[in-house]
Every structure is written in structure tokens, then in C-alpha cells.
Amino acid sequence: MPVKDGDFLRLEYTGKVQETGEVFDTTDDKVAEENDIKSENKIYGAIPIIVGAGHVLKGIEDALIGMKEGEEKTLEIPPIEAFGERDPKLLQLIPMSEFRKQGIKPQIGMAITMEGTTGIIRSISGGRVRVDFNHELAGKNLQYHIKVEKIITDDEEKIRSMINLHYPNPNIDLESHKIIIEDGKVVIQMDEMTKFDKKPYMDITFARFRIARDIWENMENVDKVEFVDVFEKKVNEEAEGKTETEAEEVNKETVPEVSTEEPAEEGEVSTEEKSEPIAEEVLEERIQDKEK
């Protein structure tokens, strides 16, 4: 079955600068390590995308059309289909005084962000700093080796793939998300570990919106996506199956009494230290369990 626009895929790729052969991006951790570009914050392996949704460069999307599952291809992408040509207007001279006001000591090669745009300091001369706000790969011809690792056809797997793309987390098992598809609506209850995520609230909201948008724009008969957060009361296992009175007695035995005595001496354990673990500790336990 050849790839067509709107298909959900798992894609492997390695990108190089055509003129120099420099590898700048890859989904293969071994290739990343060999070329000294491996990042501890990146999850390696085939990435989920939707063809035509803008998840990868247009040149790659165009090349994917007609490919089959398992097929590989090497392609050359000109700047216009990659990161564009270099724009001289994006080279700006900034007075050194502006950096001093913010307590920054500019250095060549340093990345700075102004009004949401990142630039690289190219030179420092005569009390002025030249900053290049062009993309670092602008104006360069690129070479990509791509492979269609899988064409995703199952609706539930499509949804999980978009969660994986927009909300990547190495400590979350994709299969632990609960998904219901019914009457044009998708209901998603994400893994409970996401409740302890320290990402800014706005980042989480944007990630959920991107997941929802990709689902309703590329899955037939879906026009609504709902995220559900469930906080469930934990029942003491020893109390299950007992009468209400017996359960209360069991719970009394398992909850330490609150002491009104003086603070514990050094070396002793106080009542506060016996309290329930905080969210971070619960998260740490989950991570350790997954590593075993």
C-alpha cells in the first residue's frame, strides 16, 4: 500500500549538509553518537508523523508520496524546500550597550533570543554586535536518507502516535493511555505520570491542542477530542471485602497517630517523616519500577 497524503507513518531519517556531509539530525541513536550530536533530552527511534501535516520538511513529505512500508530512499532537498535562502535583513547590528543593560557578555557563537527569535552572534567590533537570525541551515542544500518504518492504519494507534509526537516522555508507556472512540468523539485519559509533569501549564495546553487538531483534521468522522483527568481515591487493600466497621479499624491501624510530643531528637524519626510520599517521590518510584 503506497503512502498518500494524510497517512500516519513511523519515519526513520538522517539529515546531512550536502556540501560538507555533516550530520545535523537523525532518529538513529548510534548515528547521533558517532557524529557527536546525541542529546540526552531526545527520544531516538522512528518518529510518528502525518504526511502533509507539516511535521517534517516539505521536501521530505513530497518524497514520501508513493513509497511503501519498509522502503528506503536518499533525496536531495534544495533550500527552498528546506529552511529557505539566507535573508540579509536577518543580519542585525546591536549596540554593545544593549547587552550591558541585561548583564550579558556577548561572545562569538553565542545564541541569543530576541522577541521570540533565536540568533547567533557572528562578530563583535567597534562597540557593535552582529547577530544572525537566519536559521543555521538556511541557504544550504540538504541530503536526507529516509525509511518508511511503518504505515499506521489502526485508529487507536494513530491517536497514540500523535500523543507520542506532541507529548514525548521516555517514562510514559504509550499503551497506558486510555482511549475511547465513539460517535465522532475521541476521549483520552493520559497515563497518570503526566499528572506529575513539571512542564508549564501553557506548554501542556498547546501539546493537547496539537494532538486534538491532528486527530480531527486527519481522521474521518472525528470532530471532537476530549482530554479527561481522573483522580481516584485509593482503597486500602486490607480493607477490601470487610464490613464498614472492620475497614475503619484496619485503616486506623495503618495510619500513624499524630504526635503532640516535642520534636524528635537527632537520629529519631518524627511523625512528619512518616507522612505519605509527595508527588515527586511517587514519580521517582514509577521511574525506578520501569527501569527494573
Side-chain angles (χ1 to χ4, degrees):
M1 179 175 67
V3 172
K4 61 184 183 300
D5 195 52
D7 277 352
F8 288 67
L9 310 176
R10 289 198 174 275
L11 175 71
E12 297 177 4
Y13 68 81
T14 293
K16 299 179 180 180
V17 176
Q18 187 175 334
E19 291 84 356
T20 64
E22 175 191 359
V23 175
F24 61 85
D25 193 14
T26 183
T27 57
D28 189 325
D29 61 338
K30 292 182 179 178
V31 173
E33 191 167 355
E34 289 170 358
N35 289 273
D36 198 28
I37 61 170
K38 188 168 183 179
S39 170
E40 297 300 324
N41 298 321
K42 180 175 178 178
I43 301 174
Y44 289 89
I47 64 167
I49 69 162
I50 301 173
V51 180
H55 297 151
V56 291
L57 296 175
K58 185 180 184 304
I60 296 178
E61 288 187 325
D62 292 343
L64 285 168
I65 302 296
M67 290 181 67
K68 297 180 180 180
E69 188 171 280
E71 185 178 349
E72 300 182 43
K73 182 186 290 186
T74 298
L75 53 141
E76 296 178 359
I77 303 179
I80 194 171
E81 294 181 358
F83 296 95
E85 299 287 355
R86 290 185 61 77
D87 185 353
K89 295 179 182 178
L90 295 178
L91 278 169
Q92 297 183 16
L93 286 173
I94 302 174
M96 180 72 77
S97 58
E98 291 298 320
F99 290 90
R100 292 198 186 101
K101 287 178 184 178
Q102 300 181 47
I104 299 173
K105 184 178 181 181
Q107 297 179 4
I108 294 176
M110 176 187 289
I112 64 169
T113 301
M114 293 181 63
E115 299 179 354
T117 304
T118 300
I120 303 296
I121 295 176
R122 298 301 184 191
S123 64
I124 303 171
S125 177
R128 296 188 296 179
V129 179
R130 184 182 294 273
V131 183
D132 186 357
F133 288 98
N134 283 285
H135 190 283
E136 62 180 340
L137 295 173
K140 296 183 179 180
N141 294 295
L142 308 181
Q143 183 185 83
Y144 273 89
H145 184 78
I146 60 175
K147 178 182 179 181
V148 178
E149 196 264 344
K150 182 178 182 180
I151 299 176
I152 303 172
T153 57
D154 179 75
D155 284 346
E156 191 171 308
E157 188 177 353
K158 289 179 180 179
I159 295 168
R160 293 185 192 280
S161 74
M162 289 302 98
I163 296 174
N164 186 21
L165 175 65
H166 296 298
Y167 205 113
N169 188 322
N171 299 314
I172 293 177
D173 179 6
L174 278 179
E175 298 304 315
S176 64
H177 302 307
K178 296 179 182 178
I179 296 171
I180 299 173
I181 309 172
E182 190 174 62
D183 299 328
K185 181 173 75 171
V186 172
V187 179
I188 302 173
Q189 181 183 336
M190 295 179 70
D191 178 83
E192 64 177 6
M193 286 187 71
T194 60
K195 298 172 186 175
F196 304 137
D197 204 325
K198 294 182 179 180
K199 291 181 181 178
Y201 177 77
M202 191 60 70
D203 289 353
I204 294 173
T205 300
F206 279 139
R208 290 186 173 191
F209 171 73
R210 294 185 187 105
I211 294 167
R213 180 189 58 194
D214 281 340
I215 291 172
W216 71 53
E217 287 186 351
N218 297 282
M219 291 182 65
E220 294 183 2
N221 304 318
V222 173
D223 52 25
K224 185 177 182 180
V225 177
E226 189 175 298
F227 287 87
V228 178
D229 291 321
V230 177
F231 295 86
E232 187 176 0
K233 180 180 179 181
K234 300 298 181 182
V235 180
N236 190 299
E237 293 181 2
E238 294 182 22
E240 289 183 0
K242 297 180 180 292
T243 65
E244 185 176 343
T245 303
E246 291 174 327
E248 288 178 356
E249 291 301 320
V250 170
N251 285 328
K252 285 180 181 178
E253 293 174 2
T254 57
V255 178
E257 295 181 1
V258 178
S259 173
T260 57
E261 297 178 3
E262 294 296 320
E265 296 293 333
E266 186 176 353
E268 296 182 3
V269 180
S270 67
T271 305
E272 281 189 349
E273 292 172 325
K274 297 179 182 178
S275 60
E276 289 296 316
I278 59 176
E280 287 82 355
E281 293 173 334
V282 174
L283 178 59
E284 184 66 27
E285 290 177 3
R286 287 286 304 276
I287 294 173
Q288 291 176 355
D289 290 341
K290 287 178 179 288
E291 292 175 346
K292 289 180 181 179

